[in-house]
Amino acid sequence: TGAPCRSVILTGDAGVGKTTYIRALAKQLAGKGLMFFEASAADIIAGQSYLGELEKRLLEIIKNLGRTRGVIWFVPGFHELMYTGRHRYNPAGILDMLMPYIDSGAITIVGEVRPASLEQITRENPRIKTTFDIIHGKNFTDMSINDFSTDCKP
């Protein structure tokens, strides 16, 4: 096993090719033995009706992602992780629950977000700026896949 991949957030306006870039990257990295898992905040909470189900589901995801080195979690609408899961009895969102695992390298996330949303979540949680590499792009379709650091190993 090699070094864990560093988590990354791609940011840019709508239509600059963030999703296309990430999906092309996933195809390229699949050839190196890395696999992408795609799930948004809405996917994670889908079908839940009781308090405590989110925490149980997240622990299961973390266990599965952490067990298999070389799995990268793609999160469209990354900023939604900040707010999803918060309620009157628990001010922590999904991102708060994931941060220790991201910090330790147990899980790797590639997220995409628009600049205004990134600004808002980094204002609320400045640690995002040090935990994630943030790539700003005006046109991701012009970026080479090789511009993305892929020195992590499965």
Side-chain angles (χ1 to χ4, degrees):
T1 63
C5 300
R6 183 128 162 92
S7 291
V8 176
I9 299 172
L10 274 64
T11 183
D13 293 326
V16 297
K18 298 180 297 290
T19 304
T20 302
Y21 182 81
I22 291 170
R23 292 202 172 123
L25 177 67
K27 284 182 184 178
Q28 178 190 16
L29 293 180
K32 295 182 178 185
L34 294 169
M35 183 176 76
F36 271 64
F37 158 72
E38 181 176 341
S40 67
D43 295 327
I44 295 169
I45 64 166
Q48 295 182 17
S49 53
Y50 300 105
L51 291 176
E53 285 182 298
L54 174 61
E55 292 80 0
K56 181 180 176 188
R57 186 172 288 175
L58 279 176
L59 287 174
E60 190 67 28
I61 290 170
I62 290 163
K63 184 174 95 177
N64 288 324
L65 290 178
R67 179 184 310 145
T68 311
R69 181 65 100 203
V71 177
I72 298 172
W73 181 358
F74 167 42
V75 183
F78 176 83
H79 62 288
E80 295 170 358
L81 291 179
M82 182 81 158
Y83 308 107
T84 303
R86 288 182 177 178
H87 54 81
R88 182 169 77 183
Y89 303 109
N90 183 7
I94 292 172
L95 185 59
D96 295 314
M97 294 180 239
L98 293 174
M99 285 298 267
Y101 301 96
I102 298 166
D103 283 335
S104 72
I107 62 172
T108 302
I109 290 180
V110 173
E112 64 172 13
V113 66
R114 293 185 185 168
S117 297
L118 179 64
E119 184 179 329
Q120 182 178 358
I121 64 173
T122 55
R123 202 173 324 121
E124 286 188 46
N125 185 345
R127 251 179 69 211
I128 292 170
K129 291 179 181 178
T130 56
T131 301
F132 292 85
D133 288 337
I134 299 174
I135 300 173
H136 302 271
K138 293 194 184 298
N139 189 351
F140 283 96
T141 56
D142 289 343
M143 274 182 76
S144 166
I145 295 298
N146 297 326
D147 293 339
F148 191 89
S149 175
T150 58
D151 23 337
C152 52
K153 306 286 187 269

